[in-house]
Amino acid sequence: MKNNKNMPVSEGRFWIERISKTTLRAIHIIGVVGSGGGIMFDLDLSLWFNYWLAAICSGVLLMSWEIIRDWRWLIQLKGILTLLKIILLGFFIQISQCKSELVIFIILLSVIVSHGPAGLRHYSIVHRKVIQSRKEIKG
């Protein structure tokens, strides 16, 4: 029996996954921009709460997508830095006077995770070397 994880995906499935992931990422960016602006400019929660909800829901879906696709995402720097961003979100309550700085730092981490060199993003803290992911669908 062949291992389906190593088989290439069909062109139709590739496009569905690519468009789905790109759509999720777009919703996530819109949510981060809207809620980040609300936080940084100290606007009333009612003005940016829906953006926050969009950012959280799409972020959970994107993270789940990566973990289901390949659990090793959790031990690569791209996964570790994403988990660090979630921990930093938890600090919003404890150090509310630094919310703007936290938003900026989380966005900087996002840039590293999304646009950093593959050798950095795919570095495994367990293996202490770069490990490639299975079936990566960009988006």
Side-chain angles (χ1 to χ4, degrees):
M1 182 178 234
K2 291 185 179 182
N3 183 354
N4 289 336
K5 289 191 178 226
N6 294 327
M7 293 180 64
V9 296
S10 69
E11 186 173 347
R13 181 172 174 178
F14 169 81
W15 281 107
I16 289 170
E17 288 186 21
R18 179 81 181 247
I19 290 168
S20 299
K21 191 171 180 186
T22 301
T23 301
L24 269 178
R25 190 175 301 267
I27 292 167
H28 190 68
I29 291 169
I30 291 167
V32 169
V33 169
S35 58
I39 292 166
M40 292 180 69
F41 294 111
D42 201 25
L43 300 176
D44 185 69
L45 177 64
S46 66
L47 295 172
W48 56 269
F49 180 76
N50 288 337
Y51 290 103
W52 177 262
L53 199 56
I56 296 299
C57 292
S58 59
V60 166
L61 288 171
L62 284 165
M63 193 169 82
S64 299
W65 181 308
E66 295 297 337
I67 294 168
I68 290 167
R69 184 184 51 78
D70 189 350
W71 67 269
R72 296 178 301 173
W73 179 88
L74 290 166
I75 60 172
Q76 292 174 310
L77 278 180
K78 58 186 175 179
I80 299 294
L81 293 176
T82 300
L83 295 173
L84 176 61
K85 292 188 304 186
I86 293 168
I87 291 167
L88 290 172
L89 285 173
F91 285 127
F92 272 41
I93 297 166
Q94 283 89 11
I95 50 175
S96 59
Q97 69 276 15
C98 297
K99 285 183 180 178
S100 291
E101 291 82 359
L102 284 171
V103 167
I104 291 167
F105 189 65
I106 290 168
I107 290 171
L108 288 173
L109 284 176
S110 298
V111 170
I112 292 169
V113 170
S114 295
H115 302 288
L120 175 72
R121 292 181 294 114
H122 294 200
Y123 181 81
S124 166
I125 62 167
V126 172
H127 299 93
R128 300 202 186 279
K129 67 178 184 175
V130 173
I131 57 170
Q132 296 302 318
S133 300
R134 297 183 195 123
K135 300 190 307 182
E136 188 156 354
I137 301 289
K138 304 281 185 198

